[in-house]
Amino acid sequence: MPDSQPHPPSGTPASPDGQPDPGTLLLCGARLMDGRTVDVRLGRGRIEAVGTVGSLTAGPAPAPGTRVDLGGYLLLPAPVEPHAHADTALSADTDGPVSYAPEDVQRRATEAALLQLGHGATASRAHVRVGDVQGLGSLAAVLRARRSLRGLAEVTTVAMPRLLTGAAGADGLAMLRDALKMGASVVGGCPDLDPDPTGYVEAVLEVASEHGCPVDLHTDAADPARLARLAAMAGGLRPGVTLGPCAALARLPAESAARTADQLAAAGVTVVCLPQGGCGATDRRDTPPVRLLRAAGVRVAAGSGTLRDVSNPVGRGDPLEAAYLLASRHGLRPEEAYDAVSASARAALGLPEVRVEAGFPADLLAVRGGRLADALSLSYSRIVIHRGRVVARTSAVREYCDSAAAEGLGLPRQGRSMSP
Ligand SMILES: [Zn+2]
């Protein structure tokens, strides 16, 4: 197991984005998905070099804590969480009604982001309700959590107004515009819950155009005609429209599902599915037909939805679990399944691409194992790197009692331990 922890020296120069520069970090002996074993040098938040083992150095006089031994680990682009619910996260852990007191929301949102970060998600998109009882209080609390997490994880917020049409819609619209001025960076919500879903989508697209921000809407996608209208309306919008969790696509007849997939592809709409259970009622927990959508050319990302709130009290927020489910239940190859929580999810969030190659952002996840299939099957031990710095580390040790079977596998005599 790695035993070195980076301790960035104080007083180092700031990187271009204003964060302290963590200095140079050398990751040694990591396996890559293509089977190579390499050293990787990180500096100024980026990957500086990838070379054969022993070919790189951390600098002319390596300081202590500038090397991390990744022997036995697979090094991957870090996953991200494209669909979280920051205002209700972890609310199932206490009895009684959910508290929307700003200090409670901020504490839960921070803890949820740290949980997700421990799993490897160095960025997340968090849906937050605006209007109703909370007003803008929950959003303000999540934005404070976001600031406190700077340097550890990036959190972007989606403002979710309830109604945008009719008499109540004027208030919702004003609240949405205020939310964007306050710092929400994405327009969201649930058009299916508005008495006029098409009017709701029109309003969302108009506000998003005004502010030049992306759209991320909740829909069950139960009505193919309504979804086709939404896709047609969304088609021209840049920087893009995301829909999720689209569970009802799984229940459409094959022909209708194929036509819908083509319409979503033509509109350039991203679908974020939630294989771990989603964020709605229990009868809307399906995963849309991901292979059909991918074959039609739809970008499909996978998120985890709610994290231990009333709709999923056991939610884990683990992107590797979402990828595992796409592989085990939906027949995606491990590389395709991991793409849904990494490259495609990053693209959905408008984040730059990460590859384990020189010049790319140093947002990486090291997991125990030699191949991606191993990592998706079982991977407790993880080292998470954000902007060139180790930001989270989980080390698991499993011990078996003394037995002939353990001895037969050649496990170490002391403690019969292994690191999953
Ligand atoms: Zn949701």
Side-chain angles (χ1 to χ4, degrees):
M1 294 294 292
D3 56 3
S4 58
Q5 187 83 34
H7 297 287
S10 58
T12 47
S15 59
D17 62 1
Q19 290 296 304
D21 187 340
T24 299
L25 184 66
L26 192 63
L27 311 176
C28 302
R31 275 290 281 269
L32 301 184
M33 274 202 281
D34 63 13
R36 285 181 295 154
T37 302
V38 296
D39 287 353
V40 179
R41 191 176 66 229
L42 314 178
R44 299 188 73 80
R46 305 194 83 79
I47 298 170
E48 286 186 343
V50 178
T52 52
V53 173
S55 69
L56 306 176
T57 61
T66 55
R67 296 169 63 93
V68 178
D69 176 11
L70 289 185
Y73 278 78
L74 181 69
L75 187 63
L76 303 165
V80 298
E81 172 53 68
H83 190 123
H85 282 267
D87 50 354
T88 56
L90 302 169
S91 59
D93 294 2
T94 48
D95 295 329
V98 176
S99 164
Y100 289 105
E103 60 273 20
D104 290 339
V105 173
Q106 183 180 347
R107 179 181 47 75
R108 294 197 311 253
T110 307
E111 195 182 334
L114 288 174
L115 270 170
Q116 289 160 341
L117 180 67
H119 294 315
T122 57
S124 66
R125 180 180 273 186
H127 295 260
V128 182
R129 275 180 279 185
V130 298
D132 294 332
V133 183
Q134 306 92 307
L136 293 169
S138 291
L139 178 65
V142 176
L143 290 170
R144 280 196 296 278
R146 174 193 191 210
R147 282 193 290 277
S148 75
L149 289 158
R150 278 190 72 190
L152 289 176
E154 290 173 50
V155 179
T156 53
T157 49
V158 186
M160 298 178 70
R162 196 162 69 84
L163 299 175
L164 289 179
T165 69
D171 285 347
L173 215 47
M175 192 69 80
L176 178 58
R177 290 196 166 98
D178 286 347
L180 293 168
K181 280 183 211 144
M182 188 188 265
S185 43
V186 184
V187 182
C190 310
D192 300 337
L193 300 183
D194 193 284
D196 175 6
T198 302
Y200 188 103
V201 174
E202 276 170 358
V204 159
L205 294 175
E206 190 183 319
V207 174
S209 294
E210 277 169 25
H211 289 79
C213 59
V215 169
D216 193 334
L217 293 170
H218 277 72
T219 181
D220 193 31
D223 181 340
R226 184 183 293 171
L227 195 66
R229 270 199 305 281
L230 201 168
M233 291 161 69
L237 190 89
R238 296 290 173 271
V241 174
T242 298
L243 299 178
C246 299
L249 289 183
R251 299 190 291 274
L252 290 183
E255 194 181 310
S256 178
R259 192 167 52 244
T260 302
D262 288 341
Q263 289 159 342
L264 292 171
V269 166
T270 297
V271 170
V272 173
C273 63
L274 305 175
Q276 290 154 294
C279 48
T282 47
D283 60 347
R284 298 201 294 268
R285 295 282 167 94
D286 290 326
T287 303
V290 289
R291 286 199 295 171
L292 173 79
L293 290 168
R294 284 172 54 92
V298 180
R299 180 192 289 143
V300 178
S304 52
T306 54
L307 178 65
R308 303 214 305 256
D309 73 4
V310 67
S311 66
N312 187 359
V314 295
R316 287 183 187 163
D318 183 356
L320 264 55
E321 186 188 41
Y324 156 81
L325 290 167
L326 291 179
S328 68
R329 294 195 55 203
H330 299 278
L332 263 55
R333 291 187 295 111
E335 292 77 15
E336 295 168 337
Y338 191 68
D339 172 274
V341 298
S342 55
S344 288
R346 290 186 69 89
L349 268 54
L351 294 169
E353 184 184 10
V354 172
R355 291 191 217 158
V356 189
E357 292 176 19
F360 285 87
D363 270 46
L364 302 166
L365 170 64
V367 288
R368 207 69 198 168
R371 296 178 313 135
L372 189 57
D374 302 342
L376 296 189
S377 172
L378 182 72
S379 56
Y380 297 119
S381 296
R382 304 181 191 188
I383 297 170
V384 186
I385 294 163
H386 178 50
R387 298 187 176 186
R389 190 165 72 112
V390 173
V391 289
R393 184 190 291 259
T394 304
S395 303
V397 175
R398 177 171 291 167
E399 294 185 331
Y400 293 94
C401 68
D402 202 20
S403 75
E407 194 152 4
L409 285 174
L411 297 178
R413 182 165 287 278
Q414 277 292 324
R416 310 287 184 208
S417 68
M418 57 200 298
S419 303

